[in-house]
Amino acid sequence: MRLTAFTDISLRIVMRLAVAHRDELLTTRAVAGMLAVPYTHAAKAVARLSELGLVEARRGRGGGLQLTGKGHAASVGEIVRGLEGAGDVVGCEDDPPCPLRAACRLRAALRQAQESFYASLDGVSVASLVAAPTGTVLLSLTVAE
C-alpha cells in the first residue's frame, strides 16, 4: 500500500506545526516553502486538515496556522484514515466493475490488510514523530526562495 502524495504532504505539515513555538504563526505559503511542496498542494492539505479539526487556519493580519489540541493528540493512524478515507484498496466497483466481485476473497483480505496498516499507525503519536532528532530538523527548515 502506498499513501497518496496528499497524505504525505499533510503529515509533513502536521509535523512542522507540531514543533512551532506557541507564538509562531506560519502561513501556508511559508510551510509549503519549508517543506518544498507546491503552494496549491499545501493549501488543499491545510484545508482538509482544518476540516478534520487538526489545524486552525486564521486569515488576515496576524493570521496563520496552528496545530489544534486535537491535532497534537491525534495518532498517525487517525490522521491517515481521515485523509485517505475508508475506501477499497482495489477498484472492485470501477467502471467496468470487476467480474470476480461477487465471489472474490481478495477484497476482504485487502481490507483486513489495510486496517492492520492503519492499526499499526494508531500507536504512533504526532509527538513521537517530532521527537529528536526530527524536531530539530523541522525547526531548522527555512523557506526556499
Side-chain angles (χ1 to χ4, degrees):
M1 182 173 168
R2 184 179 171 105
L3 295 178
T4 62
F6 176 76
T7 297
D8 176 43
I9 290 168
S10 299
L11 288 170
R12 288 193 270 158
I13 290 170
V14 167
M15 290 170 65
R16 179 54 184 94
L17 295 178
V19 297
H21 301 290
R22 229 181 240 290
D23 59 341
E24 181 184 22
L25 292 173
L26 298 168
T27 65
T28 302
R29 191 166 302 283
V31 171
M34 289 174 185
L35 299 174
V37 299
Y39 168 76
T40 54
H41 291 29
K44 289 177 187 176
V46 165
R48 182 67 181 131
L49 291 167
S50 292
E51 288 172 11
L52 293 172
L54 303 171
V55 169
E56 180 183 356
R58 286 182 262 151
R59 293 184 175 190
R61 187 178 201 123
L65 307 174
Q66 282 189 315
L67 201 59
T68 65
K70 180 179 178 181
H72 280 286
S75 73
V76 175
E78 179 184 349
I79 296 170
V80 173
R81 276 186 194 89
L83 295 168
E84 293 281 328
D88 286 329
V89 176
V90 293
C92 301
E93 303 299 329
D94 289 349
D95 189 24
C98 176
L100 302 175
R101 72 185 180 282
C104 185
R105 297 175 65 162
L106 177 62
R107 185 179 192 179
L110 290 173
R111 271 197 190 134
Q112 183 179 1
Q114 180 183 30
E115 187 46 43
S116 294
F117 172 76
Y118 289 147
S120 70
L121 293 175
D122 285 337
V124 181
S125 68
V126 171
S128 71
L129 288 180
V130 299
T134 308
T136 305
V137 173
L138 286 163
L139 286 170
S140 72
L141 298 176
T142 58
V143 178
E145 297 185 32

